[in-house]
Amino acid sequence: SDIETCKKWPFPEVLHDIAGALNVEIYELFKPEKAVEHSAGETLVQYSEDTILLVRKSCAALEHSLEALLKKYT
């Protein structure tokens, strides 16, 4: 639940394992739960917003993982 509520971020290896257990690609872990029908323009806007959110979450997860590695090895 800490991962789902963004209180903690898993290491990349953990994301890989979770995606493997669910038989999905890693990026699908960050997709909205429901698909909503939109016009083509709305779909493009939503895709852009989702992509930006995914990149931000991925960067945050990577930063957190790297900080944890630095603490572990320094």
Side-chain angles (χ1 to χ4, degrees):
S1 69
D2 284 343
I3 294 170
E4 292 173 352
T5 58
C6 298
K7 292 179 182 175
K8 292 184 180 179
W9 284 96
F11 284 101
E13 296 84 8
V14 174
L15 288 174
H16 180 267
D17 291 345
I18 292 170
L22 297 172
N23 199 28
V24 297
E25 295 294 325
I26 293 174
Y27 75 90
E28 293 179 277
L29 298 174
F30 299 96
K31 287 173 55 176
E33 291 183 33
K34 278 185 172 179
V36 179
E37 292 199 23
H38 298 287
S39 69
E42 290 172 329
T43 300
L44 183 56
V45 169
Q46 185 63 50
Y47 175 78
S48 297
E49 291 171 357
D50 290 348
T51 301
I52 290 168
L53 180 62
L54 174 61
V55 169
R56 286 182 180 157
K57 285 183 175 184
S58 298
C59 288
L62 181 58
E63 182 179 1
H64 182 78
S65 296
L66 290 173
E67 287 173 359
L69 285 172
L70 282 172
K71 285 180 186 177
K72 182 176 180 178
Y73 292 107
T74 58

